[in-house]
C-alpha cells in the first residue's frame, strides 16, 4: 500500500490537515473552558455570591434546551451525534459544521452534564472534509472515510493531549478488523492482565528480580490481593451504572424526537432540577453536577477527604440523572462524565479493607470509560495515560475487560432515532409520498 502514489499523497495530506484541525480544536477547547469559568464562577462572584446559587442552572439550561432544539430542527446535521449513541467517527459533512459548533456552544458551557469529545470529533471530521474541498482533492468513498478519521484523530488527540489515545480510539471506533478484532483482543487483554498480576505477585513473594523493562521511574505502592478483589467486584457495578444511564439516554432521545424543541427544553430543565436538588441537599457548588466533571474529578483525586460519603452519593445520584437526560437531548460527549463517575465510585469504595485510593479510582475509571465507549483498548490506554501510573495497569485491564463483556451482554435499549427519522424528515417524506 505504501508503494501506491495515491496512498502516499493521502498520507501527506492527512499530515497537513492535522495542523489546522489541531489549532481549531485548541481554540475550541479554550473557548469552552473560558465560557464555563465565566458562566459558573465569574458571574456569580461578580453578583456577590461565593458560588453559584441553587437556581443558577434553570435559566442557563432553559436557554440551552430551546437553542439546541431549534438547531436540531432548523440546521443540517441535527447539531451532531446524539451522545447516548456513543462516539462516532463518521456521519458529519461540511454543511453540518455550523450546527455542531452552535449546539456545543449552547450545551457545554450552560450546564450540560456532557464532555467536549463528541463535538470535537465531529468538528475534526467536518474540518478535514472542508479543507479537502477547498483544495479540490479527489474525494472517493475511501478517501472521505480516511480524511474524516484523520481529522477526528487530530482533534481528539488535542483533547487528551496524547496522539496514542487518538490513534487507538479511532482504530476501535472505525471498526478496523471488524468483530474479529474484539474476538482476538479480549482474550489477549485478559491473559496479559492476569499474567502481569501473577508475574508481579510471584516476584514480590520470591524477592527475585528479572530483566523486565524498567527505566527506574518511581513506583506507587504495589498492588495486593485486596486491590484486585475489590476492583473485580466493583467493575461490574460501575458498568451497570453507566450502561443503564445510556439506556435511559436512548429512551430520552426517543422522547425528544417526537416534539424536539419542547421536549429538549423539558429534559434540559430536568437536568437543572438535579443541579438545584444537589446544591440544596449538600450546600456544595452546582457546577459539580453540571458540566463535564473534568475539573471536579481533578479536585476529587487531589483531595478526596474533602468529600463526605453523603456528598459522593449525592453527586452520583443527581449527576447520573442529569447525565441521562442530557445524553438524549443536548449535544456533547459521554466520556468525561463517565470518567468522573468511575473516579467518584472508586473514591467512595476506597476505604474498604485492603483497597487503596489509586487502584480504586483506576479500576473505576477503566470500568466506566469502557462501559461508555465500548472500546476496551482505548479505555485502558486513556486511563493509564491520565493517571500516569503503570503499576495499576493489571487492575485497569481486568476492570476494562469485565466491564466490556458485561455491557455487551446486557440489553442495549431502544435504537437511537436516525437523522432521517427526525420529525422534519418524516414530514418531508409524507409530503412527497404518492397520494399525500
Amino acid at each position: 500500500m505504501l508503494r501506491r502514489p495515491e496512498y502516499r499523497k493521502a498520507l501527506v495530506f492527512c499530515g497537513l490537515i492535522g495542523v489546522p484541525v489541531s489549532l481549531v480544536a485548541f481554540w475550541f477547547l479554550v473557548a469552552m473552558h473560558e465560557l464555563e469559568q465565566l458562566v459558573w464562577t465569574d458571574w456569580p462572584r461578580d453578583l456577590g455570591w461565593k458560588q453559584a446559587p441553587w437556581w443558577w442552572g434553570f435559566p442557563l439550561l432553559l436557554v440551552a434546551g430551546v437553542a439546541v432544539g431549534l438547531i436540531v430542527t432548523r440546521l443540517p446535521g441535527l447539531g451532531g451525534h446524539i451522545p447516548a449513541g456513543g462516539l462516532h467517527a463518521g456521519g458529519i459533512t461540511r454543511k453540518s459544521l455550523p450546527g455542531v459548533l452552535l449546539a456545543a456552544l449552547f450545551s457545554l458551557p450552560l450546564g450540560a452534564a456532557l464532555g467536549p469529545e463528541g463535538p470535537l470529533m465531529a468538528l475534526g471530521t467536518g474540518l478535514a472534509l472542508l479543507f479537502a474541498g477547498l483544495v479540490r482533492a479527489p474525494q472517493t468513498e475511501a478517501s472521505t472515510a480516511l480524511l474524516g478519521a484523520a481529522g477526528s484523530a487530530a482533534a481528539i488527540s488535542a483533547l487528551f493531549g496524547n496522539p496514542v489515545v487518538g490513534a487507538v480510539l479511532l482504530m476501535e471506533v472505525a471498526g478496523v478488523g471488524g468483530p474479529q478484532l474484539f474476538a482476538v483482543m479480549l482474550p489477549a487483554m485478559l491473559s496479559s492482565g492476569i499474567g502481569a498480576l501473577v508475574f508481579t505477585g510471584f516476584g514480590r513473594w520470591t524477592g527475585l528480580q528479572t530483566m523486565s523493562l524498567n527505566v527506574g521511574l518511581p513506583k506507587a505502592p504495589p498492588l495486593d490481593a485486596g486491590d484486585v478483589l475489590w476492583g473485580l467486584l466493583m467493575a461490574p457495578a460501575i458498568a451497570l451504572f453507566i450502561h443503564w444511564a445510556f439506556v435511559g439516554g436512548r429512551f430520552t432521545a426517543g422522547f425528544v424526537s417526537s416534539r424536539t424543541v419542547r421536549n429538549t427544553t423539558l429534559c434540559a430543565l430536568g437536568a437543572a432540577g438535579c443541579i438545584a436538588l444537589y446544591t440544596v441537599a449538600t450546600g456544595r457548588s452546582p457546577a459539580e453536577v453540571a458540566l463535564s466533571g473534568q475539573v471536579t474529578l481533578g479536585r476529587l483525586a487531589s483531595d478526596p477527604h474533602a468529600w463526605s460519603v453523603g456528598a459522593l452519593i449525592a453527586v452520583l445520584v443527581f449527576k447520573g440523572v442529569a447525565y441521562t437526560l442530557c445524553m438524549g437531548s443536548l449535544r456533547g460527549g459521554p466520556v468525561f462524565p463517565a470518567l468522573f463517575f468511575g473516579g467518584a465510585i472508586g473514591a467512595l469504595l476506597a476505604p474498604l479493607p485492603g483497597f487503596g485510593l489509586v487502584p480504586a479510582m483506576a479500576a473505576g475509571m477503566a470500568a466506566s470509560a469502557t462501559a461508555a465507549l465500548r472500546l476496551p483498548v482505548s479505555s485502558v490506554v486513556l486511563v493509564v495515560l491520565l493517571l500516569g501510573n503503570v503499576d495499576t495497569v493489571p487492575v485497569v485491564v481486568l476492570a476494562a475487560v469485565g466491564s466490556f463483556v458485561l455491557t455487551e451482554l446486557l440489553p442495549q435499549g431502544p435504537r437511537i432515532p436516525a437523522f432521517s427519522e427526525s420529525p422534519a424528515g418524516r414530514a418531508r417524506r409524507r409530503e412527497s409520498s404518492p397520494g399525500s
Side-chain angles (χ1 to χ4, degrees), residues 220-265:
L223 297 173
D224 56 29
D227 295 323
V228 178
L229 176 61
W230 289 120
L232 290 173
L233 293 176
M234 181 177 67
I238 294 175
L240 286 172
F241 180 91
I242 300 297
H243 173 76
W244 289 113
F246 267 80
V247 171
R250 288 172 175 268
F251 278 106
T252 303
F255 170 71
V256 165
S257 67
S258 58
R259 298 189 63 177
T260 303
V261 178
R262 184 199 69 180
N263 293 347
T264 299
T265 305

Side-chain angles (χ1 to χ4, degrees), residues 49-74:
W49 289 296
K50 183 179 179 181
Q51 64 182 28
W54 64 269
W55 50 265
W56 192 255
F58 283 105
L60 296 176
L61 283 163
L62 174 63
V63 173
V66 173
V68 172
L70 291 173
I71 290 166
V72 168
T73 55
R74 303 294 174 85

Side-chain angles (χ1 to χ4, degrees), residues 96-293:
S96 305
L97 279 178
V100 169
L101 287 172
L102 287 173
L105 179 66
F106 281 104
S107 294
L108 301 179
L110 297 186
L114 298 168
E117 62 279 356
L120 197 62
M121 287 183 66
L123 179 64
T125 298
L127 286 174
L129 298 178
L130 176 63
F131 292 138
L134 291 176
V135 299
R136 297 181 180 179
Q139 294 189 29
T140 63
E141 183 177 352
S143 67
T144 298
L146 181 64
L147 292 174
S152 294
I156 209 71
S157 297
L159 173 63
F160 293 119
N162 194 293
V164 176
V165 178
V168 174
L169 191 147
L170 262 295
M171 179 187 72
E172 290 190 280
V173 168
V176 178
Q180 188 176 4
L181 173 68
F182 290 99
V184 174
M185 180 175 55
L186 282 179
M189 286 181 63
L190 183 60
S191 61
S192 64
I194 293 175
L197 283 174
V198 173
F199 188 86
T200 304
F202 194 76
R204 289 178 58 197
W205 175 57
T206 61
L208 301 175
Q209 294 184 351
T210 64
M211 294 300 293
S212 299
L213 180 63
N214 189 339
V215 295
L217 293 175
K219 291 183 175 292
L223 297 173
D224 56 29
D227 295 323
V228 178
L229 176 61
W230 289 120
L232 290 173
L233 293 176
M234 181 177 67
I238 294 175
L240 286 172
F241 180 91
I242 300 297
H243 173 76
W244 289 113
F246 267 80
V247 171
R250 288 172 175 268
F251 278 106
T252 303
F255 170 71
V256 165
S257 67
S258 58
R259 298 189 63 177
T260 303
V261 178
R262 184 199 69 180
N263 293 347
T264 299
T265 305
L266 289 176
C267 291
L269 289 175
C274 294
I275 295 169
L277 289 173
Y278 172 78
T279 307
V280 171
T282 64
R284 298 179 66 92
S285 171
E288 293 174 353
V289 168
L291 308 178
S292 67

